[in-house]
Amino acid sequence: MAGQSSPPAAPAPGIDALGFGMAIAGAAFFATKGIFIKLAYAAGVGAETVLALRMIVSMPVYLGIMAWLLFDPRIRAALGGRVVLGSALVGLLGYYFSSFLDFSGLLFVTAQYERLVLFTYPFFSFVLGLMFFGDRPNWRVLPGLVTAYAGLVVIFAWNLAMRPDGLLEGTALVVAAGLTYALYQHLARRRMTGIGSAMFTCIAMIAAGSAAIAHNTVQHGIGAYAELPPEVWGYGAALGLLGTVAPSFLLNGAIARIGARATASTAAWGPVVTIVLAVIVLGEAFTIYHAIGSLLVIVGSLWFAHADRTPGPTDRSVTPSAP
């Protein structure tokens, strides 16, 4: 009818501030991992002990979640022996073996350098997908890859000139951690079918935690836990709760609200938080070379993540965390 006003347009969907806040907070909490590990090392304990303390603190949470999930009859029906064994073995790869390599690397390199190297593990996932898992090549990611690794070369060169002791060993260990974690991600996606990501994560973390605790106990004896100073237990508790459990819940909650891709896009906050904390808490150096290298790594990784997005209405399964 003439003169009748048209109905108002539906408001455009706004940004989910809570979802993005959870994603950023999760990335920031994950970024504290290297700081707590370095503080524990300064108190005189080794990689195997710190990893065991992380699991002692975090495992009860995952055991509780598993017990709650087992009330679902569909999950119980899907939990055959082969499924549990396969999930446990994949968990050992991702959260025991890969984590131990990463923790060992931190004995030799700085927390900020370790975080930047690990931040490039999606590149390993890309290469492994092409070589072994039938992924189609997406050559648009190459500029991002080159940019990020150019940044790592800048920081590596500074370390090689200024503090070369242990640099090659530490870099090799952290790169191996990123490579094995990328392999874990490919294998984990295939194991989640049927039992869901939550139950898979519980099985994986419990298996990895059991191995880490057994490793430390065999190496140092059961009585060694009682001899650890209170500050080491404090660092272990912070690593388990703030660096493992809290970010896993925050990131899962963010994925549920804003999707995996949007959650992954906030991951660049992680290295920034690690760099700031490493400089303030650990007294690590941060020069113009660190600034240039870090910027190149973060920009290249974001470029890579954007170019690697596949068209379609559904998000791919993404784990924006590290070992």
Side-chain angles (χ1 to χ4, degrees):
M1 183 181 296
Q4 185 175 1
S5 61
S6 58
I15 294 176
D16 187 334
L18 178 59
F20 276 95
M22 293 170 70
I24 293 170
F29 275 121
F30 263 128
T32 65
K33 180 199 67 175
I35 307 301
F36 293 128
I37 294 171
K38 282 289 196 181
L39 289 171
Y41 288 168
V45 296
E48 67 285 342
T49 299
V50 180
L51 181 56
L53 292 178
R54 177 198 197 189
M55 295 303 189
I56 287 171
V57 172
S58 60
M59 269 181 62
V61 178
Y62 294 106
L63 283 166
I65 296 172
M66 173 184 278
W68 177 71
L69 290 171
L70 286 173
F71 282 104
D72 188 332
R74 295 170 298 179
I75 293 179
R76 290 201 307 270
L79 281 177
R82 293 182 64 181
V83 172
V84 173
L85 178 61
S87 299
L89 291 174
V90 174
L92 287 172
L93 173 67
Y95 288 107
Y96 168 62
F97 185 63
S98 182
S99 292
F100 184 69
L101 289 171
D102 179 42
F103 281 40
S104 299
L106 275 165
L107 289 166
F108 300 98
V109 299
T110 63
Q112 51 185 310
Y113 179 70
E114 175 263 356
R115 180 65 178 174
L116 289 169
V117 174
L118 270 189
F119 195 56
T120 65
Y121 80 84
F123 303 148
F124 299 134
S125 183
F126 169 74
V127 173
L128 290 174
L130 291 180
M131 294 177 64
F132 302 111
F133 296 98
D135 290 354
R136 289 184 294 180
N138 177 6
W139 304 118
R140 292 176 300 170
V141 304
L142 288 180
L145 186 152
V146 172
T147 301
Y149 279 99
L152 287 180
V153 168
V154 171
I155 301 176
F156 180 86
W158 183 89
N159 280 279
L160 192 62
M162 303 302 296
R163 39 163 303 169
D165 292 344
L167 178 62
L168 294 179
E169 296 94 326
T171 301
L173 287 165
V174 178
V175 167
L179 181 61
T180 51
Y181 190 73
L183 177 60
Y184 156 81
Q185 282 203 314
H186 280 287
L187 297 174
R189 290 190 185 114
R190 287 152 177 81
R191 289 289 171 184
M192 291 177 188
T193 305
I195 62 173
S197 61
M199 176 56 77
F200 168 81
T201 301
C202 289
I203 296 171
M205 290 296 293
I206 292 167
S210 300
I213 294 168
H215 177 176
N216 186 64
T217 303
V218 169
Q219 184 163 343
H220 298 289
I222 191 69
Y225 293 104
E227 298 173 0
L228 293 174
E231 64 266 28
V232 171
W233 278 103
Y235 297 142
L239 180 60
L241 295 176
L242 298 181
T244 305
V245 174
S248 69
F249 282 111
L250 286 166
L251 291 169
N252 284 336
I255 289 171
R257 294 183 67 95
I258 63 176
R261 290 179 186 166
T263 300
S265 71
T266 66
W269 285 94
V272 174
V273 171
T274 300
I275 290 168
V276 172
L277 291 177
V279 173
I280 295 174
V281 177
L282 303 177
E284 292 183 0
F286 188 76
T287 66
I288 185 63
Y289 302 102
H290 291 83
I292 293 171
S294 300
L295 181 62
L296 288 172
V297 171
I298 293 171
V299 169
S301 297
L302 292 176
W303 188 341
F304 178 94
H306 178 76
D308 194 41
R309 293 177 182 175
T310 55
T314 34
D315 287 349
R316 290 193 299 172
S317 176
V318 176
T319 305
S321 61

